[in-house]
Amino acid sequence: MGHHRDDVLAHAVELLDTHGLGALTMRRLGTELGVQPSAIYHHFANKQTLLAAVADEILASRPAATASSWPDRVRETCAGLRTAMLDCTDGADVVATVWAFGLGAHGPADELVAVLVEAGADDELAAVASRTLLHYVFGHAFEEQTARQAIAAGAVDRTLDSLPDFDLGLELVIDGLRSRLSA
Amino acid sequence: MGHHRDDVLAHAVELLDTHGLGALTMRRLGTELGVQPSAIYHHFANKQTLLAAVADEILASRPAATASSWPDRVRETCAGLRTAMLDCTDGADVVATVWAFGLGAHGPADELVAVLVEAGADDELAAVASRTLLHYVFGHAFEEQTARQAIAAGAVDRTLDSLPDFDLGLELVIDGLRSRLSA
DNA sequence: ACCTGAACACCGTTCAAGT
DNA sequence: ACCTGAACACCGTTCAAGT
């Protein structure tokens, strides 16, 4: 048929978004593209590499932070990251896993480090704080998205109104950061 | 052979610890117990239920927090949780996933909420802060454990000395919490 | 450059039936 | 109460070979 890497990647993202991570299979991807499973390996070395590219695609849709104060820029970056992940089925799972493996884009991490250094943090604080913020955003988004699906599937009974208080937890970390930056 | 639920669970934990999450399979578990795969379903409804029980087992080894001040109790609880997860291969992955699904023990969460309420937090702050702390601990442990394995497997080249600065990030959150509690 | 066909070594889960 | 045997509907990955 003559597909390119980008065709395969775009289809993988669509498959993830419409049917979830469980449906994003090398075999199913091949079938939907009208091609043998093994043909996918011509474009991606393995599934992990494909998932890393999918994660990058999810993160590419983030808007750039525009605010002037560092707390607002941190809020913008974290909110943008969260929204990008929640906008795609199982997006938080894919992005967090790829990040933990050390693959995929460092965009959000680099952005946070830059903002914090500009705000007066030394290199160590900037590095630790950016990772702390990312762990918070990943953890919160992953739990929210997973719980929502578990409830929708009837797999578990649980309320969710207690969950999406994303901003409050973020302010907690920002407050801790503020007390370090003003010192 | 006549196994009980606890035999199966103990073997599952051992399989996880010695060979990782990829090896913790219903089929392999059956084989190692000298039993058909389908026999496992007599003890656990499905793999998710088994994983929830495994997560509870990992968390059961945590020591109780004994310190008197709330920041020290928070540090103890978080460090105990982290250690329990890191002590078992893929422990952070299993515990964080089970937690996100709303299954398994709420031990660490309940402990943190209790400590924070005792320290003067209202119910909402205690709930948000405990989840923020958990997201941080899960995220940090998952990344540390995953990165360590990815490096050991040669799947990725990355330094790790920049990672295990667990305490610094935790102090950040505790500082934010302190500024709320003293207000 | 892109793909086929076939194979290898696996999965989770169900279900009738056995003791 | 605990298990067998067999099946169903799948996986990721490799590799020689084709165009």
Side-chain angles (χ1 to χ4, degrees):
Chain A
M1 284 283 160
H3 299 95
H4 298 106
R5 202 190 117 107
D6 285 353
D7 298 326
V8 180
L9 179 53
H11 218 94
V13 172
E14 201 196 313
L15 198 47
L16 177 68
D17 192 35
T18 52
H19 297 288
L21 188 52
L24 181 43
T25 347
M26 302 301 261
R27 285 174 174 273
R28 181 153 176 183
L29 192 51
T31 303
E32 301 223 338
L33 289 169
V35 114
Q36 294 286 329
S38 49
I40 308 296
Y41 290 85
H42 194 73
H43 303 282
F44 295 93
N46 49 45
K47 192 175 181 180
Q48 201 166 154
T49 306
L50 172 66
L51 283 176
V54 168
D56 287 356
E57 208 68 15
I58 291 170
L59 293 181
S61 66
R62 291 174 313 120
T66 58
S68 53
S69 77
W70 71 261
D72 276 344
R73 289 184 78 93
V74 167
R75 288 184 194 104
E76 272 189 301
T77 301
C78 290
L81 173 58
R82 173 172 180 257
T83 302
M85 293 191 293
L86 292 183
D87 272 355
C88 182
T89 310
D90 289 324
D93 194 344
V94 172
V95 171
T97 304
V98 167
W99 160 265
F101 267 96
L103 300 171
H106 304 184
D110 294 343
E111 239 173 87
L112 287 172
V113 168
V115 171
L116 296 175
V117 165
E118 210 186 337
D122 61 38
D123 286 359
E124 195 196 11
L125 180 58
V128 170
S130 82
R131 279 220 325 282
T132 304
L133 288 164
L134 286 176
H135 288 146
Y136 173 66
V137 178
F138 287 159
H140 194 283
F142 177 56
E143 191 188 347
E144 181 177 344
Q145 202 168 44
T146 304
R148 213 180 285 284
Q149 282 162 197
I151 292 165
V156 96
D157 58 336
R158 180 177 178 184
T159 14
L160 245 202
D161 10 307
S162 65
L163 246 189
D165 44 16
F166 176 73
D167 296 335
L168 266 142
L170 183 57
E171 289 310 309
L172 216 59
V173 184
I174 290 178
D175 277 1
L177 201 38
R178 201 192 314 268
S179 73
R180 299 293 173 114
L181 284 174
S182 58
Chain B
M1 283 284 158
H3 300 96
H4 298 107
R5 202 189 116 106
D6 285 353
D7 298 327
V8 179
L9 179 53
H11 218 94
V13 172
E14 201 195 315
L15 197 46
L16 177 69
D17 192 35
T18 52
H19 297 286
L21 189 51
L24 181 43
T25 300
M26 302 300 262
R27 287 173 174 273
R28 180 150 176 185
L29 192 51
T31 303
E32 301 224 337
L33 289 168
V35 116
Q36 293 287 329
S38 50
I40 308 297
Y41 290 85
H42 194 74
H43 303 284
F44 295 93
N46 48 45
K47 192 176 181 180
Q48 201 167 150
T49 307
L50 172 65
L51 284 175
V54 168
D56 287 356
E57 208 68 15
I58 291 170
L59 293 181
S61 66
R62 291 174 313 120
T66 58
S68 52
S69 76
W70 70 261
D72 276 344
R73 288 184 79 92
V74 167
R75 288 184 193 105
E76 273 189 301
T77 301
C78 290
L81 173 57
R82 173 172 180 258
T83 301
M85 293 191 293
L86 292 183
D87 272 355
C88 182
T89 310
D90 290 324
D93 194 344
V94 172
V95 171
T97 304
V98 167
W99 160 265
F101 266 95
L103 299 171
H106 303 184
D110 294 344
E111 238 173 88
L112 288 172
V113 168
V115 170
L116 296 175
V117 165
E118 210 186 338
D122 61 37
D123 287 357
E124 195 197 12
L125 180 59
V128 171
S130 82
R131 279 219 325 282
T132 303
L133 287 164
L134 286 177
H135 288 147
Y136 172 67
V137 178
F138 287 158
H140 194 284
F142 178 56
E143 191 188 347
E144 181 176 344
Q145 203 168 43
T146 304
R148 213 180 284 282
Q149 281 162 198
I151 291 165
V156 96
D157 58 337
R158 180 176 178 184
T159 13
L160 245 201
D161 12 307
S162 65
L163 245 188
D165 44 17
F166 176 74
D167 295 336
L168 266 141
L170 183 57
E171 290 310 310
L172 216 59
V173 184
I174 290 179
D175 276 2
L177 200 39
R178 203 192 313 269
S179 72
R180 300 293 173 113
L181 284 175
S182 57

